[in-house]
PDB file of all heavy atoms in Angstrom:
ATOM      1  N   TYR J   5      96.684  61.763 106.840  1.00 48.00           N
ATOM      2  CA  TYR J   5      97.730  62.765 107.016  1.00 48.00           C
ATOM      3  C   TYR J   5      97.438  63.703 108.167  1.00 48.00           C
ATOM      4  O   TYR J   5      98.322  64.348 108.694  1.00 48.00           O
ATOM      5  CB  TYR J   5      98.002  63.538 105.721  1.00 48.00           C
ATOM      6  CG  TYR J   5      96.885  64.425 105.246  1.00 48.00           C
ATOM      7  CD1 TYR J   5      96.681  65.691 105.785  1.00 48.00           C
ATOM      8  CD2 TYR J   5      96.029  63.992 104.245  1.00 48.00           C
ATOM      9  CE1 TYR J   5      95.652  66.495 105.341  1.00 48.00           C
ATOM     10  CE2 TYR J   5      94.993  64.802 103.797  1.00 48.00           C
ATOM     11  CZ  TYR J   5      94.817  66.049 104.347  1.00 48.00           C
ATOM     12  OH  TYR J   5      93.812  66.850 103.911  1.00 48.00           O
ATOM     13  N   PHE J   6      96.193  63.784 108.626  1.00 51.00           N
ATOM     14  CA  PHE J   6      95.864  64.656 109.746  1.00 51.00           C
ATOM     15  C   PHE J   6      95.858  63.907 111.074  1.00 51.00           C
ATOM     16  O   PHE J   6      95.533  64.477 112.101  1.00 51.00           O
ATOM     17  CB  PHE J   6      94.524  65.370 109.519  1.00 51.00           C
ATOM     18  CG  PHE J   6      93.390  64.445 109.176  1.00 51.00           C
ATOM     19  CD1 PHE J   6      92.714  63.754 110.148  1.00 51.00           C
ATOM     20  CD2 PHE J   6      93.037  64.255 107.846  1.00 51.00           C
ATOM     21  CE1 PHE J   6      91.675  62.897 109.822  1.00 51.00           C
ATOM     22  CE2 PHE J   6      91.990  63.408 107.511  1.00 51.00           C
ATOM     23  CZ  PHE J   6      91.314  62.721 108.504  1.00 51.00           C
ATOM     24  N   SER J   7      96.216  62.622 111.072  1.00 49.00           N
ATOM     25  CA  SER J   7      96.288  61.852 112.315  1.00 49.00           C
ATOM     26  C   SER J   7      97.576  62.186 113.057  1.00 49.00           C
ATOM     27  O   SER J   7      98.597  62.509 112.466  1.00 49.00           O
ATOM     28  CB  SER J   7      96.287  60.345 112.017  1.00 49.00           C
ATOM     29  OG  SER J   7      95.126  59.963 111.360  1.00 49.00           O
ATOM     30  N   SER J   8      97.528  62.055 114.393  1.00 52.00           N
ATOM     31  CA  SER J   8      98.732  62.230 115.190  1.00 52.00           C
ATOM     32  C   SER J   8      99.721  61.133 114.822  1.00 52.00           C
ATOM     33  O   SER J   8      99.361  59.973 114.664  1.00 52.00           O
ATOM     34  CB  SER J   8      98.383  62.157 116.677  1.00 52.00           C
ATOM     35  OG  SER J   8      99.542  62.305 117.452  1.00 52.00           O
ATOM     36  N   ARG J   9     100.963  61.500 114.680  1.00 48.00           N
ATOM     37  CA  ARG J   9     102.002  60.527 114.330  1.00 48.00           C
ATOM     38  C   ARG J   9     103.214  60.754 115.231  1.00 48.00           C
ATOM     39  O   ARG J   9     103.495  61.863 115.650  1.00 48.00           O
ATOM     40  CB  ARG J   9     102.423  60.680 112.872  1.00 48.00           C
ATOM     41  CG  ARG J   9     101.313  60.381 111.894  1.00 48.00           C
ATOM     42  CD  ARG J   9     101.832  60.484 110.478  1.00 48.00           C
ATOM     43  NE  ARG J   9     100.763  60.243 109.537  1.00 48.00           N
ATOM     44  CZ  ARG J   9     100.372  59.053 109.126  1.00 48.00           C
ATOM     45  NH1 ARG J   9     100.946  57.985 109.585  1.00 48.00           N
ATOM     46  NH2 ARG J   9      99.390  58.929 108.263  1.00 48.00           N
ATOM     47  N   GLU J  10     103.933  59.694 115.465  1.00 54.00           N
ATOM     48  CA  GLU J  10     105.142  59.779 116.269  1.00 54.00           C
ATOM     49  C   GLU J  10     106.299  60.283 115.409  1.00 54.00           C
ATOM     50  O   GLU J  10     106.274  60.193 114.187  1.00 54.00           O
ATOM     51  CB  GLU J  10     105.479  58.404 116.846  1.00 54.00           C
ATOM     52  CG  GLU J  10     104.382  57.835 117.731  1.00 54.00           C
ATOM     53  CD  GLU J  10     104.068  58.719 118.919  1.00 54.00           C
ATOM     54  OE1 GLU J  10     104.991  59.250 119.532  1.00 54.00           O
ATOM     55  OE2 GLU J  10     102.875  58.895 119.219  1.00 54.00           O
ATOM     56  N   SER J  11     107.352  60.777 116.070  1.00 56.00           N
ATOM     57  CA  SER J  11     108.516  61.252 115.333  1.00 56.00           C
ATOM     58  C   SER J  11     109.184  60.115 114.559  1.00 56.00           C
ATOM     59  O   SER J  11     109.844  60.352 113.564  1.00 56.00           O
ATOM     60  CB  SER J  11     109.518  61.928 116.269  1.00 56.00           C
ATOM     61  OG  SER J  11     109.944  61.025 117.263  1.00 56.00           O
ATOM     62  N   SER J  12     108.985  58.868 114.996  1.00 64.00           N
ATOM     63  CA  SER J  12     109.559  57.724 114.280  1.00 64.00           C
ATOM     64  C   SER J  12     108.916  57.558 112.905  1.00 64.00           C
ATOM     65  O   SER J  12     109.459  56.872 112.044  1.00 64.00           O
ATOM     66  CB  SER J  12     109.409  56.438 115.093  1.00 64.00           C
ATOM     67  OG  SER J  12     108.035  56.163 115.314  1.00 64.00           O
ATOM     68  N   ASP J  13     107.754  58.180 112.676  1.00 80.00           N
ATOM     69  CA  ASP J  13     107.100  58.139 111.370  1.00 80.00           C
ATOM     70  C   ASP J  13     107.777  59.060 110.357  1.00 80.00           C
ATOM     71  O   ASP J  13     107.452  59.017 109.181  1.00 80.00           O
ATOM     72  CB  ASP J  13     105.629  58.541 111.481  1.00 80.00           C
ATOM     73  CG  ASP J  13     104.790  57.458 112.140  1.00 80.00           C
ATOM     74  OD1 ASP J  13     105.242  56.299 112.200  1.00 80.00           O
ATOM     75  OD2 ASP J  13     103.683  57.785 112.600  1.00 80.00           O
ATOM     76  N   PHE J  14     108.693  59.912 110.813  1.00 91.00           N
ATOM     77  CA  PHE J  14     109.376  60.827 109.909  1.00 91.00           C
ATOM     78  C   PHE J  14     110.326  60.053 109.005  1.00 91.00           C
ATOM     79  O   PHE J  14     111.247  59.402 109.474  1.00 91.00           O
ATOM     80  CB  PHE J  14     110.144  61.905 110.679  1.00 91.00           C
ATOM     81  CG  PHE J  14     110.952  62.811 109.793  1.00 91.00           C
ATOM     82  CD1 PHE J  14     110.316  63.752 109.006  1.00 91.00           C
ATOM     83  CD2 PHE J  14     112.322  62.701 109.744  1.00 91.00           C
ATOM     84  CE1 PHE J  14     111.052  64.586 108.168  1.00 91.00           C
ATOM     85  CE2 PHE J  14     113.073  63.529 108.913  1.00 91.00           C
ATOM     86  CZ  PHE J  14     112.427  64.465 108.127  1.00 91.00           C
ATOM     87  N   GLN J  15     110.046  60.078 107.729  1.00 93.00           N
ATOM     88  CA  GLN J  15     110.898  59.457 106.718  1.00 93.00           C
ATOM     89  C   GLN J  15     111.075  60.482 105.607  1.00 93.00           C
ATOM     90  O   GLN J  15     110.155  60.714 104.814  1.00 93.00           O
ATOM     91  CB  GLN J  15     110.260  58.185 106.175  1.00 93.00           C
ATOM     92  CG  GLN J  15     110.113  57.111 107.224  1.00 93.00           C
ATOM     93  CD  GLN J  15     109.426  55.873 106.673  1.00 93.00           C
ATOM     94  OE1 GLN J  15     109.043  55.803 105.519  1.00 93.00           O
ATOM     95  NE2 GLN J  15     109.262  54.891 107.531  1.00 93.00           N
TER      96      GLN J  15
END
Side-chain angles (χ1 to χ4, degrees):
Y5 67 81
F6 52 81
S7 299
S8 179
R9 296 183 182 275
E10 300 300 319
S11 59
S12 61
D13 287 342
F14 176 73
Q15 296 178 359

